[in-house]
Amino acid sequence: MREHLTLLTFGLFAASAFAAEPAPDGAWRDAPKNSDAIRVTVVTGGHDHDASFYSVFEGHADIAASVRPHPGGLARDLRKGTQVLVLYDMMREIDPKQQSVLRDFAEAGKGIVVMHHALASYLNFPWWAENVSGAHYVFDPGPDGKKSSYKHDEILAVTPVVEHPVIAGIGPFKILDETYKDMWYSPKIQVLLKTDNPTSDGPVAWIGPCATSRVVCIQMGHDRHAHGNPAFKKLVRNAIIWAAGR
Ligand SMILES: [Zn+2]
């Protein structure tokens, strides 16, 4: 039943969550951390995901990640204890308090990594996509009648577009993942990686247009096939380190 449920609900619109997650606010039980390890807060909730997602953060002495699922994820000021905020939630609407937590964090010159279905988050807070992530999934058709779509289990051939620390050491690679098509993009994003898969818009990793914080967006990352891909793991790690200003 769980497997069945998994197949039925792994789409972008799934709302319930059964994937195993570390204890809320719990310390990450992982490799021993250096005292100057980058403090990463990972916000989840609003979308099912494979527990393999957490493997992306494991095994690094210089990254200390803790998970804060909604509803607590954006409930309090994150500026003090967090150097890099990794967003892997999917909350279409957030309240004014959560909006100010995000805005305060972005304006404080921190690091932000927006991953996969988090590109479909905070749609009632357009400031975020315009000034931070530089893109968002479109659920409701606009005046042009266009809305975004997604497709699972696509093979993407991914190639670098520019030279950038976030993609250092990552050459062309292939990944089995979910694609998004017909999203909205800011003209100010800097695309790092693209694919020519026709079910994708093309950009699969980019730098957001944020004037104050370092922002990396990674469209990839749906399930265990992506989470276990060595190039994807390296990309997320590079993104965290660069976003932290290291
Ligand atoms: Zn997905």
Side-chain angles (χ1 to χ4, degrees), residues 182-194:
D182 294 322
M183 294 213 300
W184 173 86
Y185 297 90
S186 162
K188 297 177 188 165
I189 64 170
Q190 181 190 12
V191 178
L192 303 179
L193 295 172
K194 67 176 171 59

Side-chain angles (χ1 to χ4, degrees), residues 106-220:
E107 290 181 341
K110 301 282 198 163
I112 298 168
V113 180
V114 181
M115 292 179 63
H116 193 58
H117 46 241
L119 290 164
S121 285
Y122 326 140
L123 299 183
N124 68 331
F125 180 38
W127 181 89
W128 181 258
E130 282 162 22
N131 296 285
V132 180
S133 62
H136 70 78
Y137 196 90
V138 179
F139 287 96
D140 303 313
D144 59 358
K146 265 184 152 182
K147 63 174 186 172
S148 304
S149 58
Y150 62 89
K151 194 157 189 303
H152 289 284
D153 300 325
E154 285 293 309
I155 295 172
L156 287 76
V158 177
T159 51
V161 177
V162 290
E163 278 192 28
H164 193 281
V166 170
I167 53 171
I170 301 174
F173 65 95
K174 286 197 171 155
I175 187 167
L176 178 63
D177 205 349
E178 178 185 12
T179 53
Y180 298 160
K181 181 94 174 166
D182 294 322
M183 294 213 300
W184 173 86
Y185 297 90
S186 162
K188 297 177 188 165
I189 64 170
Q190 181 190 12
V191 178
L192 303 179
L193 295 172
K194 67 176 171 59
T195 180
D196 58 1
N197 182 304
T199 69
S200 166
D201 283 326
V204 290
W206 58 91
I207 303 298
C210 192
T212 43
S213 285
R214 292 178 168 217
V215 180
V216 184
C217 298
I218 299 170
Q219 182 276 325
M220 299 168 284

Side-chain angles (χ1 to χ4, degrees), residues 28 30 50-60 224 227-228 233:
W28 195 261
D30 184 18
D50 288 347
S52 55
F53 170 66
Y54 303 101
S55 72
V56 171
F57 306 98
E58 288 169 357
H60 306 302
R224 62 191 180 279
H227 304 152
K233 280 180 187 283

